[in-house]
């Protein structure tokens, strides 16, 4: 069997149903064979979005995302998206190949390995065409085990017609480590801190979701009668629970601040406690910190905790409960205090628009997003881009679980939101996907792939928070009393562009248009994307942080 056949067959036999990519010399025959084997291929308009789609698909589906790009410039175009995947701990495989072996100085030749290693992604490259299947399977196993993108770089694509022998279906092994928490000095120290805390807060990070151990962490919070919070990527993990205070960090809600301020202990599971979560350390001032981690990587990365336990998070939580019970330690009662109950009630209340506002004035971003939140069904995928607007959808809009939420901006880059949203929409075609993006990010990385949603007939709702420029740069200029003209742009009318691409579009110029926007969203066909262009005033847009 030829090399391109082997790769296509192996993908299908490993259960890959969906492939994203941009074809070129190195990979077009592999994609063709994959489709002929019954796989579904979604073509992106640029390589970065192909990788972002695979990342979004991986997060929503809970499987390994798969993308393919061609050699040389095809790969370099995907590097920013690879860094996003690394920082997001997203298991995905990117398939590419070397340039022509018979042309020593071919213009598309470039050292793939060095580029990939610089992003933090893993790299697998079989030395012989006979090893292609074996090493492809290993790339998938690494992506699963290491929870990061792995680039599979097959030998020079002019060798793909070479016969490499009989094909045998692969048998990848995706093994999970089953752990039991053993008593240790580290665990003893953690239990001592937790037992003596008067006002503890339990934190569930993304590691809890990735390992499917959220229920056991909640049990510990209940045993302590402590409020529970999440990090941004685990947003809405415990939504509706009477002790849930939302996201801890600078993207969290102000209503929770009084409770955070009076707490004396943070018990964090599966969270690195980076500077976003800790508020540059301000939220942890005069508090003792306990960290429970499933791997060694984040230990000490963002500061030293008072006690750190390495092990299965569910097992550690259960062991802490066991010893609290053995020692007859009474619940803290913190979750029953008024400061927590008042915060929970305030955060569960719906957004109230300002009274007496001029209906002909531009709406605030909060008003507009609140209407979108109330209009679209509760079960949806939510993806956001980076930009000045992003804190508002994080706070005002909700999902039924963290797997349906992709905040984007993990690398501090704009232009990622549409790629994530398309991948998520392909993974969950039976529910709507909302992509909340800025105008600058949409022009940079989203506009051309709006047509991908048209071709795929995805129920995608693109909400453009349009303040006519680059919001963060606008603030940098105005903070220094400088003219922000360089940060402002005369964009095209996005609703017209959406219609020209085969979708539907609606423009919100003033508060009076919000009712029409609601009707427009409700009447969508669900067999293609729509775009809502919300015109906002850069002078009154809230700061990001």
């Amino acid at each position: 069997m030829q090399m391109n056949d082997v790769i296509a067959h192996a993908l299908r036999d490993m259960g890959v149903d969906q492939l994203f990519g941009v074809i070129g010399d190195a990979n077009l025959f592999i994609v063709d064979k994959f489709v002929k084997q019954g796989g579904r291929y979604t073509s992106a308009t640029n390589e970065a979005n192909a990788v972002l789609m695979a990342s979004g698909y991986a997060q929503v589906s809970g499987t390994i995302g798969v993308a393919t790009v061609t050699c040389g410039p095809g790969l370099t175009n995907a590097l920013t998206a690879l860094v996003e995947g690394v920082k997001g701990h997203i298991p995905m495989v990117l398939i590419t190949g070397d340039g022509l072996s018979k042309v020593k100085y071919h213009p598309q030749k470039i050292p793939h390995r060095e580029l990939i290693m610089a992003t933090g992604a893993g790299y697998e490259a079989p030395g012989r065409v006979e090893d292609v299947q074996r090493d492809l399977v290993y790339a998938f196993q690494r992506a699963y085990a290491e929870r990061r993108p792995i680039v599979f770089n097959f030998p020079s694509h002019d060798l793909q017609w070479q016969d490499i022998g009989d094909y045998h279906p692969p048998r990848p092994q995706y093994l999970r480590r089953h752990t039991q928490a053993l008593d240790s000095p580290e665990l003893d120290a953690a239990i001592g801190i937790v037992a003596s805390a008067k006002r503890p807060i339990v934190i569930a990070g993304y590691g809890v979701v990735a390992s499917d151990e959220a229920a056991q962490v909640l049990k510990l919070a209940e045993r302590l009668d402590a409020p529970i919070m999440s990090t941004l990527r685990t947003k809405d993990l415990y939504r509706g629970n009477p002790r849930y205070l939302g996201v801890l960090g600078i993207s969290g809600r102000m209503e929770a601040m009084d409770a955070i301020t009076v707490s004396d202990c943070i018990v964090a599971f599966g969270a690195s406690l980076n500077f976003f979560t800790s508020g540059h350390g301000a939220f942890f001032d005069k508090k003792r910190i306990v960290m429970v981690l499933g791997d060694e990587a984040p230990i000490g990365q963002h500061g030293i905790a008072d006690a750190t336990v390495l092990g299965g998070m569910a097992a550690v939580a259960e062991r802490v409960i066991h010893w609290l019970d053995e020692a007859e330690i009474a619940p803290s009662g913190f979750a029953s205090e008024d400061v927590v109950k008042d915060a929970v009630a305030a955060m569960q209340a719906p957004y109230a628009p300002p009274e007496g506002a001029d209906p002909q004035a531009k709406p605030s971003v909060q008003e507009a997003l609140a209407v979108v939140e109330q209009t679209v069904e509760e079960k949806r995928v939510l993806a956001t881009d980076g930009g000045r607007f992003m804190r508002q959808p994080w706070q005002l809009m909700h999902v039924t679980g963290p797997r349906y939420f992709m905040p984007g901006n993990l690398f501090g880059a704009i232009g990622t939101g549409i790629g994530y949203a398309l991948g998520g929409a392909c993974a969950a075609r039976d529910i709507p996907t909302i992509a909340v993006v800025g105008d600058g990010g949409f022009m940079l990385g989203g506009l051309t792939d709006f047509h991908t949603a048209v071709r795929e007939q995805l129920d995608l709702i693109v909400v453009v928070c349009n303040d006519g420029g680059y919001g963060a740069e606008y603030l940098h200029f105005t903070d220094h009393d400088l003219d922000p003209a360089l940060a402002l742009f005369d964009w095209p009318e996005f609703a017209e562009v959406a219609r020209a691409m085969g979708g539907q579009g609606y423009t919100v110029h003033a508060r009076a248009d919000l009712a029409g926007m609601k009707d427009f969203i409700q009447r969508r066909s669900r067999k293609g994307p729509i775009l809502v262009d919300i015109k906002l005033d850069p002078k009154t847009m809230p700061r990001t942080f």
Side-chain angles (χ1 to χ4, degrees):
M1 186 179 283
Q2 296 166 342
M3 184 173 72
N4 52 35
D5 265 328
V6 168
I7 294 174
H9 274 79
L11 290 174
R12 295 294 292 131
D13 286 339
M14 285 191 290
V16 176
D17 297 317
Q18 172 74 62
L19 178 63
F20 301 93
V22 178
I23 59 173
D25 291 352
N27 65 344
L28 76 167
F29 297 112
I30 292 169
V31 173
D32 180 64
K33 296 290 178 62
F34 175 81
V35 172
K36 287 175 178 175
Q37 289 294 318
R40 186 164 195 159
Y41 173 66
T42 299
S43 176
T45 60
N46 68 71
E47 291 84 358
N49 274 341
V51 173
L52 291 167
M53 290 178 199
S55 296
Y57 186 90
Q59 178 160 323
V60 174
S61 69
T63 62
I64 297 172
V66 189
T68 182
V69 300
T70 193
C71 58
L75 181 62
T76 59
N77 285 345
L79 295 182
T80 294
L82 277 175
V83 178
E84 275 274 327
V86 170
K87 291 183 178 291
H89 306 286
I90 297 172
M92 65 155 292
V93 173
L94 174 62
I95 299 171
T96 189
D98 282 335
L100 291 171
S101 62
K102 61 186 179 183
V103 182
K104 185 176 182 180
Y105 297 110
H106 193 280
Q108 289 186 334
K109 279 194 173 181
I110 195 169
H112 284 189
R113 183 183 185 280
E114 286 79 357
L115 291 168
I116 298 309
M117 299 305 288
T119 68
Y123 182 80
E124 280 297 325
R128 307 180 308 158
V129 292
E130 292 84 357
D131 297 331
V132 161
Q133 178 179 325
R134 180 199 68 187
D135 291 354
L136 177 61
V137 173
Y138 185 50
F140 273 76
Q141 292 182 171
R142 286 188 63 189
Y144 176 84
E146 298 172 23
R147 300 202 64 80
R148 62 170 173 157
I150 305 294
V151 175
F152 175 73
N153 193 97
F154 55 82
S156 175
H157 63 80
D158 54 331
L159 304 177
Q160 64 182 291
W161 305 104
Q162 183 173 324
D163 193 306
I164 57 178
D166 294 336
Y167 172 79
H168 302 284
R171 294 186 299 170
Q173 298 184 63
Y174 302 127
L175 304 178
R176 289 186 61 179
R177 179 171 44 186
H178 298 280
T179 59
Q180 178 179 353
L182 301 177
D183 293 335
S184 65
E186 293 79 16
L187 183 61
D188 288 345
I191 292 170
I193 292 171
V194 172
S196 62
K198 303 299 183 185
R199 291 190 173 99
I201 295 178
V202 176
I203 308 298
Y206 192 67
V208 168
V209 174
S211 59
D212 196 23
E213 296 173 300
Q216 292 87 344
V217 173
L218 178 60
K219 285 181 181 178
L220 176 60
E222 291 170 343
R223 170 61 179 81
L224 294 171
D225 193 20
I228 192 164
M229 302 187 74
S230 60
T231 56
L232 178 62
R233 292 191 66 204
T234 51
K235 166 183 157 60
D236 292 336
L237 177 59
Y238 302 110
R239 185 169 176 240
N241 188 287
R243 63 183 73 248
Y244 182 51
L245 285 176
V247 172
L248 173 66
I250 56 180
S251 56
R253 295 276 294 266
M254 290 300 297
E255 291 90 337
M257 287 307 303
D258 287 345
I260 295 169
T261 300
V262 300
S263 69
D264 61 355
C265 178
I266 299 292
V267 187
F269 287 80
S272 64
L273 302 183
N274 60 36
F275 71 92
F276 288 111
T277 303
S278 70
H280 297 277
F283 298 151
F284 296 167
D285 187 39
K286 298 179 182 178
K287 296 174 178 56
R288 303 193 76 185
I289 308 297
V290 173
M291 292 183 71
V292 181
L293 297 168
D295 58 63
E296 299 177 13
I299 295 177
Q301 192 175 59
H302 300 287
I304 303 299
D306 295 281
T308 302
V309 182
L310 188 65
M313 284 164 279
V316 172
E318 289 168 355
R319 198 64 182 161
V320 172
I321 292 172
H322 168 79
W323 283 116
L324 291 175
D325 291 344
E326 285 290 308
E328 298 182 350
I329 302 297
S332 71
F334 185 29
S336 301
E337 292 186 21
D338 288 342
V339 68
V340 173
K341 293 194 293 185
D342 291 347
V344 170
M347 292 170 62
Q348 290 181 347
Y351 172 81
E355 296 182 3
D358 180 3
Q360 300 308 315
K362 289 182 178 180
S364 69
V365 65
Q366 295 95 325
E367 290 174 84
L369 292 181
V371 174
V372 177
E373 164 68 13
Q374 295 159 11
T375 304
V376 182
E377 328 45 331
E378 183 179 17
K379 190 169 185 180
R380 83 285 282 255
V381 175
L382 173 63
T384 67
D385 206 338
R388 185 178 171 186
F389 67 92
M390 62 189 177
R391 191 175 182 183
Q392 277 58 56
W394 294 350
Q395 293 184 345
L396 295 174
M397 305 181 77
H398 299 285
V399 289
T400 54
R403 63 177 283 200
Y404 296 112
F405 173 60
M406 294 170 285
N409 202 44
L410 302 174
F411 187 31
I414 66 171
T416 62
I418 294 296
Y420 276 124
L422 288 169
C426 286
R429 291 175 179 266
D430 57 334
I431 61 175
T433 294
I434 306 173
V436 184
V437 301
D439 47 300
F442 184 62
M443 287 292 287
L444 176 67
L447 185 146
T448 55
D449 266 309
F450 182 84
H451 192 262
T452 299
V454 174
R455 286 185 279 109
E456 291 287 315
Q457 295 186 320
L458 298 174
D459 186 8
L460 176 66
I461 302 163
V462 177
V463 180
V464 184
C465 299
N466 185 358
D467 62 359
Y470 293 155
E473 288 69 23
Y474 178 95
L475 290 174
H476 284 310
F477 280 122
T478 55
D479 285 349
H480 289 84
D481 296 321
L482 297 173
D483 184 356
L486 286 175
L488 298 175
F489 295 88
D490 185 15
W491 301 125
E493 288 297 325
F494 293 131
E496 294 179 9
V497 173
R499 288 190 286 269
M501 285 187 163
Q504 295 177 286
Y506 183 87
T507 303
V508 174
H509 294 281
R511 288 189 176 93
D513 298 321
L514 292 177
M517 178 187 74
K518 181 175 182 178
D519 183 62
F520 172 72
I521 293 173
Q522 290 175 330
R523 290 188 296 102
R524 71 190 190 279
S525 70
R526 301 174 187 268
K527 294 182 179 180
I530 66 171
L531 181 146
V532 176
D533 181 9
I534 303 171
K535 305 288 190 179
L536 301 166
D537 185 350
K539 296 178 182 179
T540 59
M541 277 283 287
R543 304 187 77 91
T544 304
F545 299 118

